[in-house]
Amino acid sequence: MKQILKTLTPVALLALAAFGAHAQGYPAAGKVVTIVVPFSAGGPTDRVARDLAEAMRKPMGGATIVVDNAAGAGGSIGANKVAKANPDGYTLLMHHIGMATMPTLVRNIPFKVDSDFEYLGLVNEVPMTLIGRPTLEAGNYKSLMSWIDKNKGKINLGNAGVGSASHLCGLLFQNALKVDMTPVPYKGTGPAMTDLIGGQIDLMCDQTTNTTSQIEAKKVQAYAVTTSKRLPTPALKDLPTLQESGLANFQVTIWHGLYAPKGTPADVQKKLNDALKAALKDPDFIKKQEGLGAIVVADKRVDAAEHKKFVAAEITKWSPIIKAAGVYAD
Ligand code: ASP
């Protein structure tokens, strides 16, 4: 046994040294860290990722952090790309509530949310808003209800693809009203917003990080918020909640989290988690996010283990709601 140890120890030491050097030198000079966003550029997940990349640059020693929009299939193409990527800390994933709803909503996703990723931490929580094209003949939620009643069978609803947050919100909305609308899928709500403003689609449910400035500029009409309480953001404060408008228990809040492929070295994960925690305290990042109705999370909620627990709890929370509504995507 002693003999085996004698032979193994130098090898083990070498391996340890190599491993340590890898983590110590992370991120290596000249190497780019990529945050994969599973939706189009210009949308709310993209927005959070780009702001976060900027805020993480300093605590990552000035590293170059870029965003790669691997959009499509409601967010599963980008998530799958990261699940299969080299676990070296240079490919990360920014995803939202879809990590918790997709396993129930889409029964055949090509990756495992619980075992294909290292969880780096929660980033923020973002309310959603129900918005409409600027030419829609309804100026508030009450008149929207009569417009929907009169136009049954002709209404379309934009979303970011099957399994996305806007898809989930739209399904729950149709289910609550008992009205079917025609879904119009995009690779993200960035391009969907362009078409809503242009009047090509009627309605959409989307994060305030994408809708606040368009509501403020009166480029779209806003009808309600999906949270249980009204929001303090100036441009959104007069919007009723869907609950107070008669849709009992309607509550959808989106959150974003950061992930790495399974097998990313523990000390690289720690460096990323430390950088994430520092970025979430960056006053510029907080100001930008809060101005768009988001709440930046802090401390314990940013812990990797805590985030994993949170996602598991969200899966448990959403699974019966999706099943009860019978709103499967497939
Ligand atoms: N808001 C989108 C969703 O509905 C995704 C995006 O474009 O960020 O899931």
Side-chain angles (χ1 to χ4, degrees):
M1 186 63 186
K2 257 188 183 169
Q3 196 49 42
I4 294 173
L5 271 179
K6 261 189 198 158
T7 353
L8 278 184
T9 303
V11 176
L13 278 176
L14 266 179
L16 269 177
F19 178 73
H22 169 74
Q24 236 169 40
Y26 175 83
K31 278 208 90 175
V32 172
V33 177
T34 301
I35 300 181
V36 172
V37 167
F39 298 105
S40 313
T45 310
D46 180 70
R47 177 76 196 247
V48 178
R50 283 175 201 273
D51 288 351
L52 186 71
E54 208 176 301
M56 281 179 76
R57 190 159 297 139
K58 209 165 136 207
M60 296 269 287
T64 306
I65 308 177
V66 301
V67 168
D68 167 22
N69 298 91
S76 57
I77 289 178
N80 194 37
K81 183 172 178 178
V82 177
K84 313 282 187 296
N86 194 1
D88 58 2
Y90 293 98
T91 309
L92 310 176
L93 171 70
M94 160 72 74
H95 210 322
H96 63 18
I97 190 173
M99 286 292 266
T101 54
M102 261 194 299
T104 313
L105 205 54
V106 190
R107 288 173 279 200
N108 52 1
I109 47 168
F111 55 87
K112 290 194 183 65
V113 167
D114 60 338
S115 56
D116 282 350
F117 301 95
E118 304 292 356
Y119 288 56
L120 298 174
L122 187 65
V123 174
N124 65 2
E125 286 183 325
V126 196
M128 289 189 113
T129 37
L130 177 66
I131 56 175
R133 61 176 157 85
T135 47
L136 206 148
E137 307 79 27
N140 55 37
Y141 186 81
K142 203 166 163 242
S143 39
L144 177 69
M145 287 304 103
S146 17
W147 181 83
I148 288 177
D149 218 37
K150 275 191 238 131
N151 288 281
K152 275 183 189 159
K154 290 186 281 183
I155 303 166
N156 61 46
L157 185 68
N159 67 40
V162 166
S164 66
S166 44
H167 178 237
L168 170 79
C169 182
L171 286 176
L172 296 173
F173 183 58
Q174 292 171 75
N175 190 261
L177 295 185
K178 309 268 172 287
V179 174
D180 284 337
M181 301 179 192
T182 309
V184 183
Y186 293 81
K187 286 186 173 178
T189 44
M193 178 65 88
T194 307
D195 275 8
L196 187 76
I197 293 171
Q200 280 92 337
I201 51 174
D202 297 317
L203 294 169
M204 182 163 76
C205 202
D206 199 21
Q207 285 109 300
T208 58
T209 32
N210 196 32
T211 64
T212 306
S213 43
Q214 309 298 357
I215 294 171
E216 210 164 15
K218 303 209 178 329
K219 289 195 177 159
V220 294
Q221 305 204 62
Y223 298 109
V225 293
T226 63
T227 40
S228 56
K229 288 198 186 104
R230 288 189 182 210
L231 301 175
T233 315
L236 311 171
K237 69 176 178 11
D238 295 329
L239 291 178
T241 67
L242 283 172
Q243 282 189 13
E244 71 179 80
S245 308
L247 305 188
N249 302 324
F250 198 110
Q251 208 224 320
V252 188
T253 299
I254 306 311
W255 42 266
H256 296 89
L258 197 64
Y259 310 83
K262 187 80 191 168
T264 303
D267 37 9
V268 170
Q269 286 181 52
K270 164 99 174 62
K271 281 198 172 181
L272 285 164
N273 178 262
D274 287 348
L276 175 62
K277 279 187 173 143
L280 300 188
K281 292 201 167 113
D282 180 323
D284 271 358
F285 179 73
I286 296 175
K287 198 171 157 213
K288 280 185 205 159
Q289 289 291 300
E290 285 182 351
L292 298 172
I295 296 167
V296 176
V297 299
D299 302 326
K300 199 160 187 293
R301 301 199 70 194
V302 194
D303 279 345
E306 196 64 26
H307 181 45
K308 190 159 190 179
K309 249 199 272 166
F310 173 71
V311 176
E314 282 281 291
I315 293 175
T316 309
K317 172 184 152 185
W318 282 102
S319 179
I321 299 173
I322 293 166
K323 284 180 185 159
V327 289
Y328 298 106
D330 47 2

